[in-house]
Amino acid sequence: MRSKFISRDGSIWVPEYLIAIDGKICIGCGRCFKVCSREVMHLYGVDDAGEILGACGADDDDFDGELNRMIMVVDHAGRCIGCGACGRVCPKNCQTHLAADQIAA
């Protein structure tokens, strides 16, 4: 796996891929989703017990009254290009990123 890249100005750049979002800290604000062009994460509903109910869509209801809150979940990690935009906009710093050279091929 190639872990270091060269940017257009010749500087070395190492991508840091999003690998997880802490559901206990995430407030489901959606800022990370809005800046991600790759659809790496999506909003999921959570019930009172902290169990994930499923993905929330534009036309979803409240999961038959079970919905307590929403959180972001990394559901397509392989799409991440390591740009870090999601981490820069997260108000809760609940994301875990890992450098490309630390991820096993």
Side-chain angles (χ1 to χ4, degrees), residues 46-61:
V46 178
D47 66 11
D48 290 329
E51 297 295 320
I52 296 177
L53 301 171
C56 296
D59 58 345
D60 282 343
D61 58 2

Side-chain angles (χ1 to χ4, degrees), residues 13-41:
W13 176 68
V14 178
E16 292 191 1
Y17 299 111
L18 176 65
I19 60 167
I21 298 174
D22 188 336
K24 292 183 174 117
I25 300 172
C26 179
I27 59 173
C29 67
R31 291 178 187 170
C32 55
F33 178 78
K34 290 177 185 173
V35 299
C36 181
S37 65
R38 309 283 299 166
E39 296 186 9
V40 172
M41 72 227 53

